[in-house]
C-alpha cells in the first residue's frame, strides 16, 4: 500500500526538519541529460522530497545504459524521460515531474529552464555541456548551475570533489578523467559524481553556498 502524500511529507519532515523540508518541497530543479549522472541525480532529489523536477533528454533507453543508469531491462527502447519518470514515481509518487523529450538549443533553453531554481548539467556530449553552461551563465545569471567533469575509469573515488567556480556555478568530478577506449564509465564512480551534484543542490537550497 502506497503511503499518503501527507504521510510521506511527514516522514521527510521528521528526517530533515520542518523548515528545510519546506525549502525542498517548494524548489524546482532541472536535470539536463538523464544518463549515468542525471538519472541518479533525479533519484537522489526525488527521495529528498524536492517538489518539482524538470527532466530533459532526447535519447531512448539502450542496453548499453543498463550498467550504470537508473533504468530497467524491460524499458529498452522507451524515451528516457518517460522511463525515468515511471521509475521515480515508484520511489516518490508525489513528486511533480515535467518532461521534455527534445534536444536543448539556444532557442529553447531559456523557455525550458525558466521555472528551475537550480539547473543540473548531466550531459555526456561536450558540445551540449558547453552550450548549456554558456547559456545559463550568460543569460540566466540568477540561477545556480551544477555541472560535472571527470568521472570515468576506476580511479579513486576520493578524487571526486565539488568546486565552487563562481558565485552561481559549481563543478563536480575529478576534472581530468575523460571517457576513452581505455577508460570506460563504471556505475559506482559515476554515482559518486552524481551524488556530489545532488548534494550540492540540497546544500544550495539549505542556504549553504560553500563548496
Amino acid at each position: 500500500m502506497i503511503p499518503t502524500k501527507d504521510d510521506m511529507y511527514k516522514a521527510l519532515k521528521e528526517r530533515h526538519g520542518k523548515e528545510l523540508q519546506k525549502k525542498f518541497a517548494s524548489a524546482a530543479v532541472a536535470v539536463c541529460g538523464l544518463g549515468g549522472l542525471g538519472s541518479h541525480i533525479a533519484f537522489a532529489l526525488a527521495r529528498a522530497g524536492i517538489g518539482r523536477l524538470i527532466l530533459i533528454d532526447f535519447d531512448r533507453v539502450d542496453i548499453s545504459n543498463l550498467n550504470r543508469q537508473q533504468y530497467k531491462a524491460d524499458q529498452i527502447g522507451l524515451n528516457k524521460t518517460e522511463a525515468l519518470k515511471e521509475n521515480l514515481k515508484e520511489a516518490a509518487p508525489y513528486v511533480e515531474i515535467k518532461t521534455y523529450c527534445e534536444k536543448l538549443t539556444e532557442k529553447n533553453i531559456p523557455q525550458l529552464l525558466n521555472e528551475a531554481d537550480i539547473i543540473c548539467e548531466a550531459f555526456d556530449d561536450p558540445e551540449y555541456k558547453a552550450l548549456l553552461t554558456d547559456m545559463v551563465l550568460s543569460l540566466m545569471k540568477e540561477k545556480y548551475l551544477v555541472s560535472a567533469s571527470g568521472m570515468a575509469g576506476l580511479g579513486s573515488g576520493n578524487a571526486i570533489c565539488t568546486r565552487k567556480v563562481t558565485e552561481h556555478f559549481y563543478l563536480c568530478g575529478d576534472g581530468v578523467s575523460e571517457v576513452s577506449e581505455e577508460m570506460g564509465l563504471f556505475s559506482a564512480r559515476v554515482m559518486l559524481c552524481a551524488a556530489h551534484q545532488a548534494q550540492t543542490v540540497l546544500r544550495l537550497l539549505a542556504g549553504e553556498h560553500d563548496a
Side-chain angles (χ1 to χ4, degrees):
M1 181 177 176
I2 297 175
T4 66
K5 184 176 182 178
D6 287 343
D7 285 343
M8 291 197 73
Y9 186 81
K10 180 181 178 182
L12 288 169
K13 187 171 62 175
E14 290 175 350
R15 177 68 63 178
H16 300 151
K18 179 180 179 180
E19 292 305 315
L20 183 55
Q21 192 55 48
K22 184 178 180 180
K23 292 178 181 179
F24 290 170
S26 62
V29 180
V31 182
C32 304
L34 304 179
L37 290 173
S39 62
H40 288 291
I41 293 168
F43 256 90
L45 297 179
R47 290 185 185 280
I50 296 298
R52 285 190 295 156
L53 291 176
I54 301 165
L55 306 180
I56 303 173
D57 199 304
F58 60 87
D59 208 357
R60 293 177 180 271
V61 179
D62 183 79
I63 191 172
S64 64
N65 303 148
L66 300 182
N67 77 316
R68 68 190 185 283
Q69 301 179 18
Q70 286 279 9
Y71 301 104
K72 296 173 285 189
D74 63 359
Q75 292 179 318
I76 290 174
L78 298 180
N79 290 330
K80 284 187 175 180
T81 47
E82 294 310 307
L84 187 58
K85 180 179 179 178
E86 176 183 303
N87 295 345
L88 288 169
K89 284 291 187 177
E90 292 179 359
Y94 304 109
V95 61
E96 180 183 333
I97 299 175
K98 184 175 288 188
T99 61
Y100 295 101
C101 186
E102 53 187 291
K103 294 183 179 182
L104 289 181
T105 66
E106 290 186 6
K107 290 185 178 180
N108 67 18
I109 283 175
Q111 176 188 354
L112 298 184
L113 301 179
N114 180 57
E115 297 178 6
D117 301 306
I118 300 175
I119 299 162
C120 289
E121 177 279 306
F123 288 124
D124 296 327
D125 192 322
E127 180 181 346
Y128 286 106
K129 282 179 174 287
L131 173 63
L132 180 61
T133 300
D134 290 345
M135 290 286 289
V136 172
L137 295 183
S138 61
L139 301 180
M140 312 173 83
K141 296 180 180 180
E142 78 286 357
K143 298 184 184 296
Y144 287 96
L145 176 64
V146 181
S147 187
S149 176
M151 72 290 303
L154 288 171
S156 171
N158 294 330
I160 304 290
C161 63
T162 300
R163 294 188 293 116
K164 183 177 182 179
V165 181
T166 67
E167 191 66 28
H168 285 78
F169 180 33
Y170 293 75
L171 186 61
C172 305
D174 64 25
V176 294
S177 59
E178 296 183 3
V179 179
S180 66
E181 290 185 5
E182 297 80 22
M183 191 176 296
L185 290 167
F186 296 87
S187 180
R189 204 162 195 264
V190 173
M191 286 175 65
L192 279 172
C193 189
H196 270 262
Q197 289 185 265
Q199 182 73 353
T200 300
V201 171
L202 298 178
R203 283 173 53 77
L204 288 171
L205 292 173
E208 301 291 340
H209 296 93
D210 61 304

